[in-house]
Amino acid sequence: MRILLVGAGGVGGAFAAIAARRDFFEAIVIADYDAARAERAAAVDARFSAAQVDASDPGSVAALCREHGITHVMNAVDPRFVMPIFDGALAAGADYLDMAMSLSTRHPDEPYAKVGVKLGDAQFAKAGAWESAGRLALVGMGVEPGLSDVLARYAADELFSSITELGTRDGANLAVHDDDGNEIFAPSFSIWTTIEECLNPPVIWERSRTGVDGGWYTTPPFSEPEVFDFPEGIGPVECVNVEHEEVLLMPRWLDCERVTFKYGLGAEFIGVLQTLHTLGLDRTEKVRVGGVEVSPRDVVAACLPDPASIGPVMTGKTCAGVWVRGTGKDGEPRSTYLYHVVDNAWSMAEYGHQCVVWQTAINPVIALELLATGVWSGSGVLGPEAMPPKPFLDKLEEYGSPWGLMEVAPAA
């Protein structure tokens, strides 16, 4: 296996650090628009090399694949670059993985609105071409989406006879501090992506809803707040609906009545996002400032700390998982949370990468290992739910970061 890793930022760097400890691949080419950043990420292993790439150009991606005999393209950049990388991989005859799917269009800001172009629609529209070519595009293979989808498939296979709701729940007790020990606002993941998914109206799927949208509908941003008690000392966190890929992926492969995604953002974070939206600073369209054209959202990202750099001043744990409700294999009602927790102190000490990017990066590494060994296989455009879950979860434990399970009292 010869891998092209596109993107040497926080997740890309963590991916390289994790992969360096494995032996399932022959070589990894780490490519970034910033060649120096790619070289820094590639320095950790003799099997790694660095290259410059324009992720907005399918031709640039395809040419790099051909030059290096790439078999698998791993996309670790912002979702705005999904389609050029996706198309470039297919043109070069390589398989493809990503952690975030092609972008949606903005939906009307009202309850039960008709959805427009959904997350991943542009990729699924090309599924036939991938299948005809005998190539696999494994989409949404990060932590959320990704591990959450694997856990949902495991619950459907092993724990439940019928499922009422698959509810991804993400929460943390992370804090970032300045040099004086004061807590500061510093998102632990790409602010570009965070703005995109949090300010778009969230999508919910319900089997009972029929029509052209196939059960998908939208609600206002930050709708349906609930307090979820996260495990391993994180505790209760208020979670709200956020647009996310799980809701678009799980109903395609798993039998259930409802699918949701809720994120524990916190009042301060929600307030910041709402202010950015009010001021128009969430826009991606460029505006002229003096003699320069810039995207307001890119300016916001440039003004905040790089998520890859905040690990040494961050404390706490992050948790990703899926809350499954329905009927257990014994015929009794069941409410179970399947989850994965990473402590920032551990990931920094063990790998030198902060916990949120590390938790995202480990999942595509495991997926690539399963593909390399033939345990996972397929063609077309597939989500993690299409793959057998137990080999993946066994690997997670083998990598030293086991998953967990807890029974949850049903919501009132």
Side-chain angles (χ1 to χ4, degrees):
M1 177 180 282
R2 298 179 63 85
I3 302 165
L4 172 62
L5 172 64
V6 182
V11 177
F15 177 100
I18 297 165
R21 302 190 182 187
R22 311 302 295 184
D23 61 4
F24 64 86
F25 60 90
E26 178 186 349
I28 297 180
V29 178
I30 303 177
D32 197 280
Y33 190 76
D34 182 344
R37 188 162 69 169
E39 289 167 1
R40 288 193 296 272
V44 301
D45 194 286
R47 295 168 295 171
F48 298 172
S49 61
Q52 197 275 339
V53 69
D54 180 357
S56 68
D57 178 11
S60 178
V61 174
L64 203 54
C65 288
R66 296 187 183 106
E67 178 185 350
H68 293 276
I70 296 299
T71 61
H72 293 74
V73 175
M74 177 63 225
N75 178 355
V77 293
D78 286 340
R80 55 184 152 166
F81 299 112
V82 161
M83 290 313 296
I85 301 171
F86 180 84
D87 290 339
L90 180 60
D95 287 353
Y96 168 91
L97 290 84
D98 63 30
M99 297 171 285
M101 297 173 67
S102 59
L103 294 173
S104 63
T105 57
R106 294 265 180 177
H107 314 304
D109 231 356
E110 59 183 0
Y112 309 114
K114 176 181 175 181
V115 297
V117 175
K118 302 184 296 298
L119 293 168
D121 273 359
Q123 291 172 283
F124 282 115
K126 297 186 176 184
W130 282 83
E131 191 167 358
S132 296
R135 302 260 60 89
L136 171 64
L138 182 57
V139 297
M141 195 58 251
V143 60
E144 292 172 340
L147 177 57
S148 54
D149 305 72
V150 172
L151 291 170
R153 171 66 188 270
Y154 179 83
D157 287 356
E158 304 291 338
L159 306 179
F160 286 78
S161 59
S162 64
I163 294 174
T164 303
E165 181 168 345
L166 294 168
T168 304
R169 297 294 184 268
D170 180 302
N173 61 357
L174 298 171
V176 180
H177 307 272
D178 63 17
D179 293 339
D180 297 321
N182 301 309
E183 190 170 340
I184 60 173
F185 180 79
S188 58
F189 203 71
S190 162
I191 190 63
W192 200 102
T193 304
T194 301
I195 290 172
E196 179 70 22
E197 63 189 25
C198 292
L199 291 179
N200 275 355
V203 180
I204 293 174
W205 184 88
E206 290 181 354
R207 188 196 300 277
S208 61
R209 295 187 66 85
T210 59
V212 295
D213 299 321
W216 283 292
Y217 64 95
T218 62
T219 71
F222 316 122
S223 60
E224 299 181 4
E226 69 179 26
V227 175
F228 189 83
D229 195 1
F230 287 90
E232 300 192 22
I234 295 174
V237 179
E238 185 176 74
C239 299
V240 294
N241 281 322
V242 168
E243 181 190 45
H244 230 252
E245 288 90 342
E246 287 93 329
V247 180
L248 289 313
L249 285 171
M250 290 180 184
R252 296 175 187 268
W253 284 279
L254 302 178
D255 188 16
C256 60
E257 299 299 321
R258 192 171 194 256
V259 184
T260 58
F261 177 96
K262 291 189 179 182
Y263 196 8
L265 294 172
E268 181 190 15
F269 205 160
I270 290 174
V272 169
L273 291 171
Q274 290 173 329
T275 299
L276 291 175
H277 179 63
T278 299
L279 297 175
L281 294 174
D282 59 327
R283 292 168 51 197
T284 58
E285 301 83 3
K286 291 184 178 180
V287 298
R288 181 169 291 278
V289 181
V292 179
E293 288 192 345
V294 294
S295 159
R297 193 184 299 186
D298 288 343
V299 173
V300 172
C303 290
L304 289 170
D306 180 352
S309 71
I310 63 175
V313 293
M314 186 162 74
T315 58
K317 299 177 181 179
T318 185
C319 179
V322 61
W323 183 13
V324 187
R325 283 163 280 181
T327 303
K329 294 290 188 181
D330 60 359
E332 295 296 319
R334 185 166 188 175
S335 174
T336 305
Y337 184 58
L338 298 86
Y339 66 89
H340 183 243
V341 170
V342 181
D343 188 324
N344 188 69
W346 176 85
S347 65
M348 287 298 300
E350 185 72 13
Y351 284 89
H353 290 270
Q354 55 104 325
C355 58
V356 176
V357 297
W358 188 92
Q359 187 186 44
T360 304
I362 187 175
N363 300 289
V365 178
I366 292 175
L368 283 162
E369 181 162 349
L370 294 176
L371 291 170
T373 55
V375 176
W376 278 11
S377 62
S379 63
V381 178
L382 301 179
E385 300 88 347
M387 302 295 178
K390 194 170 185 307
F392 187 99
L393 298 176
D394 290 344
K395 281 289 180 189
L396 199 61
E397 298 198 23
E398 180 187 315
Y399 276 52
S401 190
W403 62 288
L405 181 154
M406 71 176 187
E407 301 305 315
V408 181

